[in-house]
Amino acid sequence: SLVHNEKAVYEGKFALMDNWFWIAISMRFLLIPIYLFQRTNEIAITNNRIIGKKGIISRDTIDFVINNIETVDVKQSIFGRIFGFGNVIIHGTGTSEKKITALKNPEDFKQAINSAKYN
């Protein structure tokens, strides 16, 4: 849902390793939950905002204006470092904060945010 004159500059992907529940179900039901997870979850950085949605039945959305971001933190477990996934925590002006979980290549995502912010 981009607005007029807004273009996506980076599209993030969610990792499956942090979603053990869906992996367990997929082993039993022929990978259908993994397919649904990949098709119903998306995150992107535009030249103005970070936008995204996550969830198959319930929905969690993010809509964060790039200019309102103060800091971006990356949290990775040892498995996250090995397999290339982690969480990104975005701190906005005031007390606003948003955590994006199970993101592939979280350092690349952080770098894309910083690039969009300072361009």
Side-chain angles (χ1 to χ4, degrees), residues 3-28:
V3 295
H4 182 66
N5 289 334
E6 186 175 41
K7 62 178 181 174
V9 295
Y10 184 86
E11 184 176 339
K13 300 287 184 193
F14 290 97
L16 296 176
M17 294 304 296
D18 198 39
N19 295 294
W20 60 269
F21 176 74
W22 293 113
I23 292 171
I25 289 176
S26 70
M27 298 303 172
R28 189 168 191 170

Side-chain angles (χ1 to χ4, degrees), residues 90-110:
I90 302 168
H91 303 276
T93 56
T95 59
S96 62
E97 178 180 291
K98 189 65 177 177
K99 183 176 183 180
I100 305 169
T101 59
L103 199 59
K104 284 184 182 177
N105 306 315
E107 288 291 341
D108 293 346
F109 194 81
K110 177 183 176 179

Side-chain angles (χ1 to χ4, degrees), residues 28-74:
R28 189 168 191 170
F29 294 106
L30 303 174
L31 304 175
I32 292 171
I34 288 177
Y35 173 77
L36 289 175
F37 178 84
Q38 291 294 335
R39 298 293 297 166
T40 59
N41 297 300
E42 51 193 23
I43 186 93
I45 301 168
T46 72
N47 55 334
N48 297 323
R49 303 180 294 159
I50 299 170
I51 54 175
K53 62 180 181 165
K54 189 173 182 182
I56 294 174
I57 297 173
S58 64
R59 178 71 65 199
D60 184 23
T61 62
I62 181 173
D63 191 340
F64 223 106
V65 177
I66 293 285
N67 293 334
N68 293 342
I69 294 173
E70 289 183 349
T71 60
V72 180
D73 297 326
V74 172

